[in-house]
Amino acid sequence: FELHSTESKLLREHFADAGRRVSVRAADGFGGLKALLPPPSRRALVLMDPSYEDKEDYGRVVAALRDALKRFATGVYAVWYPQAQRQEAQDLPGQLKQLAERDWLQVSLAVKAPEPGGLGLHGSGMFVFNPPWHLEAALQEAMPALVRFLGQDRKATFKLQFRQT
């Protein structure tokens, strides 16, 4: 789901060869996800990448995932979130952990120290419900290299947490 018509067109072009395995829709994903779960195959990866330009998106992410996990508890859900000084951004990973009844993984990359004025993005993270096997090991290997290549100052770092049930 992508609301911006230019971006949804690019996504359709990129995934043109994927056939029925990938669906791209020019619509609001928060509302549209409900209609697709559970999928007939009982297997799916849902990638959520909201803009978070509207601070209401943080609550909408939590609500959408709460519903999605009830409908399809075994799906893999990967949620991108910004690392910013906005309180909603700082609270989101903890709220996602509270939703998880099964395995989860959280990884974040800070590329620089937060700005003194509190504005701007200083990194990003992913929270994954029901992460694929070996994802944690792959990230343990990859994240130090990402810090070296993408880090902009001495505060660049990563954090990796996971829970297996």
Side-chain angles (χ1 to χ4, degrees), residues 50-128:
S51 69
Y52 298 103
E53 290 173 8
D54 180 350
K55 70 179 181 178
E56 300 301 316
D57 281 355
Y58 294 93
R60 293 179 78 196
V61 165
V62 173
L65 282 163
R66 182 179 294 115
D67 181 70
L69 289 164
K70 284 180 188 170
R71 292 172 177 276
F72 183 45
T74 58
V76 177
Y77 300 89
V79 183
W80 177 85
Y81 62 90
Q83 283 196 312
Q85 294 190 59
R86 176 181 241 176
Q87 191 63 49
E88 294 86 357
Q90 293 178 17
D91 293 345
L92 184 62
Q95 292 172 337
L96 297 176
K97 286 177 189 175
Q98 290 176 356
L99 293 178
E101 294 182 8
R102 298 170 172 248
D103 298 354
W104 58 263
L105 180 143
Q106 178 190 0
V107 61
S108 60
L109 173 67
V111 296
K112 63 181 181 176
E115 294 293 327
L119 298 176
L121 185 69
H122 59 272
S124 63
M126 289 289 292
F127 191 96
V128 183

Side-chain angles (χ1 to χ4, degrees), residues 144-155:
L146 289 175
V147 170
R148 282 193 311 276
F149 294 131
L150 300 175
Q152 298 174 17
D153 64 25
R154 298 180 138 233
K155 296 290 185 174

Side-chain angles (χ1 to χ4, degrees), residues 27-48:
D28 177 17
F30 292 119
L33 180 60
K34 184 181 279 192
L36 297 177
L37 298 177
S41 67
R42 306 301 290 177
R43 296 178 60 174
L45 164 65
V46 175
L47 171 62
M48 294 182 80

